[in-house]
Amino acid sequence: MTELTPALLPRTEVATSVVVRDLSVAQGCALLRKAAGSAWEATGLCHLPTPAIERFDAASDAAQSLTVIRFEGSAESMAARARGFSTGR
């Protein structure tokens, strides 16, 4: 390799996450596939079933599972995407 060109993204202004509790693995994965294929441009996707929550000692609120979708961008854009995704699912 004789040349390296790093691609840098601007730092995001705001980030927010939509959290959905107590979905089965199949439901959580279906929601994540929907988010990944949507026009809302999610930047992070995660489904934690009960065993994973227990492993990280995060079960203090007794959630059966957590499905998390993150959005990042300008304040206006991020708020619109999070609202649109949560009402459009």
Side-chain angles (χ1 to χ4, degrees), residues 14-73:
V14 179
T16 192
S17 296
V18 173
V19 180
V20 181
R21 298 168 46 106
D22 301 329
L23 298 178
S24 69
V25 172
Q27 292 169 323
C29 289
L31 181 59
L32 295 180
R33 281 191 300 275
K34 183 175 181 177
S38 76
W40 301 110
E41 299 178 5
T43 59
L45 306 166
C46 179
H47 176 77
L48 293 172
T50 304
I53 293 172
E54 290 170 350
R55 174 176 256 169
F56 291 106
D57 197 27
S60 60
D61 64 356
Q64 296 300 309
S65 71
L66 296 174
T67 304
V68 185
I69 303 162
R70 184 181 63 231
F71 299 94
E72 297 175 295

